[in-house]
Every structure is written in C-alpha cells, then in structure tokens.
Amino acid sequence: MFTIGVLASGKGSNLQAIIDYIKEENLPIKIGVVLSDNPEAYALERAKKEGIKSLYIPPGKYKTFLEPDVEKKYVEVLKENGVELVCLAGFMRVLKKTFLKSFPQRIINIHPSLLPAFPGLEAWKQAIDYGVRFSGCTVHFVEEGVDTGPIILQAVVPVLPDDTPETLHQRIQEKEHIIYPLAIRLIAEGRVSISGRKVYIK
Ligand code: GRF
C-alpha cells in the first residue's frame, strides 16, 4: 500500500476526487491522514465521512505560513501515519525548509492555472483580468518558491467571453479532479522521475 497525506484548508473537492478515484480504480493507495490549518475546512468533514483520520492542527501566529514548531508537528504526524507522499489540496500556507527537507521530492500541489502563468492567489481571476484565451491547472512538485516546482501534469480549459472568476474556476476544477488523482497514481506506481526542472513519466 502506498500511503499519502493530504493537506487542505478549504472545501476539499480535490480531496474528494482523490478518494473517489482510489475507490473506483481500486488502487493500492491509502490516505493515511488529512491535515488542516482551518478547523472549519469541509475537507475535514469529507475525511471523517470516509473513515479517514483527520486532524486540525492550529497554524500559529502567521498568516501565510506555519510557525516553525507547528511545521515540525505537521511533519511528525505525517511520518507517524506512514505518509510517503504529501499532497497539498488547497492548502493556503507556504511550506518552509523544515517541511520540504523532510519529504524531498515527495510533496506535490495542484494550482489553478497553466504555470508558470499566474502563480499565487486566485489564479483564475488573474487569468480573466489578463484576458488570456486559455487557462487550466497544473500538478507540480513543491519547492521553496511559490508555485515554481517541476511540472508533472497540466490540463487546458478555454476562457469564454462571458466567464466570471467563478465560472472559470468551476471549469478548471473539473480538470483538477482528473489530473490530480492521476498524478498521484503515477507517482505511487513509481512512474515519475525528476531531472532538473523536467519530469519524466514512464
Ligand atoms: C483548487 O482550485 C486548487 O487548484 C487550489 O485550491 C483550490 C482547492 O479547491 N490550490 P478544493 O478545496 O480542493 O475544492
């Protein structure tokens, strides 16, 4: 069994997509634990409903990252639960060195744009404001920079003339729910390798 951990701050639709895909495809992948920095995160509810261990760990005093001691705690809990791959699914904090070093090349994220375009917050809104014709989503490895790590998978969606940030985000999320579980599967099956910035898939 390949064990993953999911970190989520919000509604957790990607978490749900991962849970459903593992079940549908009967994959030898287990979600060892779901962690959140937000006690209200619906992701925690989703985990509970599925009988998956879930924990709220208070983030400490900073807004955009975890306090160093808290970061250690997150790592500890993930390790205790046998996590081999950490999947960020709408986790709203930047991970620092302690965390990154504890899971080298073993942390991935889903971002709602075609990186390197529109890193950071509300990427779907950035895409609309910029006036691009296409956007999408990216699964990438996490490194120190924000949304800069090697790209594993991407999917494209059109930006329509009457799109609002909400309608575009919705269209992007439909693709997220396909490529994020798939990327996890590819890594679990040992089919993904990294060389410099490039990711190779067997
Ligand atoms: C997604 O759009 C993801 O790309 C971004 O945060 C959002 C999380 O959505 N990183 P959900 O909580 O999985 O529904």
Side-chain angles (χ1 to χ4, degrees):
M1 215 28 114
F2 185 83
T3 304
I4 66 169
V6 178
L7 269 56
S9 306
K11 68 181 196 290
S13 69
N14 279 285
L15 169 65
Q16 193 65 54
I18 296 164
I19 293 169
D20 294 345
Y21 185 69
I22 292 171
K23 276 197 215 158
E24 278 158 26
E25 298 286 315
N26 202 13
L27 299 174
I29 299 175
K30 177 187 167 191
I31 303 180
V33 69
V34 172
L35 299 180
S36 184
D37 58 337
N38 169 15
E40 315 273 285
Y42 189 59
L44 291 170
E45 289 303 309
R46 293 186 194 266
K48 268 179 218 140
K49 275 187 202 156
E50 302 286 339
I52 297 167
K53 186 168 179 182
S54 62
L55 278 176
Y56 157 62
I57 306 181
K61 57 175 180 264
Y62 304 110
K63 277 217 160 111
T64 55
F65 55 96
L66 301 168
E67 242 174 65
D69 280 355
V70 175
E71 192 160 76
K72 275 192 202 139
K73 179 79 190 156
Y74 271 74
V75 169
E76 231 173 76
V77 174
L78 290 164
K79 297 271 185 196
E80 274 165 19
N81 285 282
V83 168
E84 295 162 83
L85 177 73
V86 179
C87 306
L88 308 183
F91 190 65
M92 299 307 286
R93 293 176 195 261
V94 177
L95 303 181
K96 301 285 190 185
K97 264 198 192 123
T98 319
F99 203 127
L100 300 177
K101 279 192 179 153
S102 305
F103 290 95
Q105 302 193 332
R106 276 291 174 267
I107 309 173
I108 60 173
N109 181 44
I110 176 91
H111 182 77
S113 76
L114 292 174
L115 289 171
F118 313 129
L121 294 177
E122 296 190 325
W124 56 87
K125 187 169 179 301
Q126 295 185 50
I128 292 208
D129 292 346
Y130 197 93
V132 291
R133 300 290 188 199
F134 291 92
S135 190
C137 49
T138 303
V139 183
H140 63 94
F141 284 104
V142 175
E143 53 175 36
E144 267 185 74
V146 175
D147 303 324
T148 57
I151 290 170
I152 306 166
L153 293 177
Q154 292 187 302
V156 180
V157 304
V159 180
L160 304 177
D162 56 355
D163 261 335
T164 62
E166 292 71 33
T167 58
L168 178 59
H169 190 205
Q170 171 65 35
R171 191 173 311 115
I172 290 172
Q173 284 224 289
E174 284 168 23
K175 297 286 186 193
E176 291 182 357
H177 300 160
I178 297 169
I179 67 168
Y180 207 19
L182 179 58
I184 292 168
R185 176 187 195 160
L186 292 170
I187 293 171
E189 290 175 347
R191 292 163 62 188
V192 175
S193 59
I194 311 177
S195 168
R197 282 213 50 86
K198 287 199 185 148
V199 172
Y200 296 91
I201 299 173
K202 280 190 284 198

mmCIF file of all heavy atoms in Angstrom, residues 118 126-135 159:
data_model
loop_
_atom_site.group_PDB
_atom_site.id
_atom_site.type_symbol
_atom_site.label_atom_id
_atom_site.label_comp_id
_atom_site.label_asym_id
_atom_site.label_seq_id
_atom_site.Cartn_x
_atom_site.Cartn_y
_atom_site.Cartn_z
ATOM 1 N N PHE A 118 0.477 33.013 -13.929
ATOM 2 C CA PHE A 118 -0.425 33.252 -12.792
ATOM 3 C C PHE A 118 -0.174 32.393 -11.550
ATOM 4 O O PHE A 118 -1.055 31.664 -11.089
ATOM 5 C CB PHE A 118 -1.890 33.087 -13.241
ATOM 6 C CG PHE A 118 -2.192 33.800 -14.516
ATOM 7 C CD1 PHE A 118 -2.816 33.156 -15.570
ATOM 8 C CD2 PHE A 118 -1.831 35.137 -14.683
ATOM 9 C CE1 PHE A 118 -3.081 33.817 -16.757
ATOM 10 C CE2 PHE A 118 -2.088 35.809 -15.879
ATOM 11 C CZ PHE A 118 -2.716 35.140 -16.909
ATOM 12 N N GLN A 126 -6.848 36.087 -11.952
ATOM 13 C CA GLN A 126 -5.716 36.687 -12.669
ATOM 14 C C GLN A 126 -5.830 36.414 -14.163
ATOM 15 O O GLN A 126 -5.555 37.286 -14.988
ATOM 16 C CB GLN A 126 -4.392 36.092 -12.177
ATOM 17 C CG GLN A 126 -4.016 36.382 -10.735
ATOM 18 C CD GLN A 126 -2.625 35.816 -10.448
ATOM 19 O OE1 GLN A 126 -1.666 36.056 -11.182
ATOM 20 N NE2 GLN A 126 -2.493 35.051 -9.384
ATOM 21 N N ALA A 127 -6.259 35.195 -14.519
ATOM 22 C CA ALA A 127 -6.375 34.814 -15.934
ATOM 23 C C ALA A 127 -7.442 35.662 -16.627
ATOM 24 O O ALA A 127 -7.244 36.145 -17.748
ATOM 25 C CB ALA A 127 -6.704 33.325 -16.040
ATOM 26 N N ILE A 128 -8.576 35.853 -15.957
ATOM 27 C CA ILE A 128 -9.652 36.665 -16.534
ATOM 28 C C ILE A 128 -9.194 38.116 -16.692
ATOM 29 O O ILE A 128 -9.351 38.718 -17.747
ATOM 30 C CB ILE A 128 -10.911 36.597 -15.644
ATOM 31 C CG1 ILE A 128 -11.466 35.182 -15.721
ATOM 32 C CG2 ILE A 128 -11.931 37.660 -16.038
ATOM 33 C CD1 ILE A 128 -12.923 35.049 -15.502
ATOM 34 N N ASP A 129 -8.581 38.649 -15.643
ATOM 35 C CA ASP A 129 -8.140 40.048 -15.686
ATOM 36 C C ASP A 129 -7.097 40.275 -16.785
ATOM 37 O O ASP A 129 -7.063 41.322 -17.408
ATOM 38 C CB ASP A 129 -7.544 40.479 -14.331
ATOM 39 C CG ASP A 129 -8.611 40.545 -13.240
ATOM 40 O OD1 ASP A 129 -9.814 40.523 -13.584
ATOM 41 O OD2 ASP A 129 -8.244 40.588 -12.042
ATOM 42 N N TYR A 130 -6.276 39.241 -17.021
ATOM 43 C CA TYR A 130 -5.216 39.392 -18.023
ATOM 44 C C TYR A 130 -5.766 39.286 -19.446
ATOM 45 O O TYR A 130 -5.205 39.806 -20.392
ATOM 46 C CB TYR A 130 -4.131 38.326 -17.814
ATOM 47 C CG TYR A 130 -2.845 38.657 -18.511
ATOM 48 C CD1 TYR A 130 -1.825 39.336 -17.846
ATOM 49 C CD2 TYR A 130 -2.645 38.314 -19.858
ATOM 50 C CE1 TYR A 130 -0.648 39.661 -18.485
ATOM 51 C CE2 TYR A 130 -1.465 38.652 -20.508
ATOM 52 C CZ TYR A 130 -0.470 39.323 -19.820
ATOM 53 O OH TYR A 130 0.701 39.650 -20.452
ATOM 54 N N GLY A 131 -6.896 38.557 -19.574
ATOM 55 C CA GLY A 131 -7.513 38.409 -20.894
ATOM 56 C C GLY A 131 -6.991 37.246 -21.715
ATOM 57 O O GLY A 131 -7.106 37.245 -22.944
ATOM 58 N N VAL A 132 -6.432 36.210 -21.055
ATOM 59 C CA VAL A 132 -5.953 35.049 -21.823
ATOM 60 C C VAL A 132 -7.137 34.257 -22.386
ATOM 61 O O VAL A 132 -8.245 34.320 -21.852
ATOM 62 C CB VAL A 132 -5.059 34.107 -20.964
ATOM 63 C CG1 VAL A 132 -3.736 34.764 -20.635
ATOM 64 C CG2 VAL A 132 -5.772 33.661 -19.681
ATOM 65 N N ARG A 133 -6.918 33.549 -23.476
ATOM 66 C CA ARG A 133 -7.965 32.737 -24.116
ATOM 67 C C ARG A 133 -8.047 31.327 -23.532
ATOM 68 O O ARG A 133 -9.033 30.637 -23.707
ATOM 69 C CB ARG A 133 -7.694 32.618 -25.618
ATOM 70 C CG ARG A 133 -7.678 33.944 -26.340
ATOM 71 C CD ARG A 133 -9.066 34.527 -26.403
ATOM 72 N NE ARG A 133 -9.087 35.702 -27.265
ATOM 73 C CZ ARG A 133 -10.048 36.613 -27.232
ATOM 74 N NH1 ARG A 133 -11.055 36.480 -26.374
ATOM 75 N NH2 ARG A 133 -10.006 37.630 -28.036
ATOM 76 N N PHE A 134 -6.946 30.900 -22.944
ATOM 77 C CA PHE A 134 -6.908 29.562 -22.346
ATOM 78 C C PHE A 134 -6.262 29.637 -20.966
ATOM 79 O O PHE A 134 -5.340 30.412 -20.752
ATOM 80 C CB PHE A 134 -6.107 28.578 -23.209
ATOM 81 C CG PHE A 134 -6.784 28.256 -24.501
ATOM 82 C CD1 PHE A 134 -6.513 28.999 -25.646
ATOM 83 C CD2 PHE A 134 -7.718 27.228 -24.576
ATOM 84 C CE1 PHE A 134 -7.163 28.722 -26.843
ATOM 85 C CE2 PHE A 134 -8.367 26.950 -25.768
ATOM 86 C CZ PHE A 134 -8.096 27.702 -26.904
ATOM 87 N N SER A 135 -6.775 28.819 -20.073
ATOM 88 C CA SER A 135 -6.099 28.648 -18.795
ATOM 89 C C SER A 135 -6.161 27.157 -18.458
ATOM 90 O O SER A 135 -6.324 26.338 -19.360
ATOM 91 C CB SER A 135 -6.729 29.515 -17.717
ATOM 92 O OG SER A 135 -5.895 29.491 -16.578
ATOM 93 N N VAL A 159 -11.021 30.000 -21.883
ATOM 94 C CA VAL A 159 -11.628 31.096 -21.119
ATOM 95 C C VAL A 159 -12.668 31.714 -22.051
ATOM 96 O O VAL A 159 -12.334 32.167 -23.143
ATOM 97 C CB VAL A 159 -10.572 32.146 -20.714
ATOM 98 C CG1 VAL A 159 -11.227 33.273 -19.912
ATOM 99 C CG2 VAL A 159 -9.442 31.502 -19.921
#
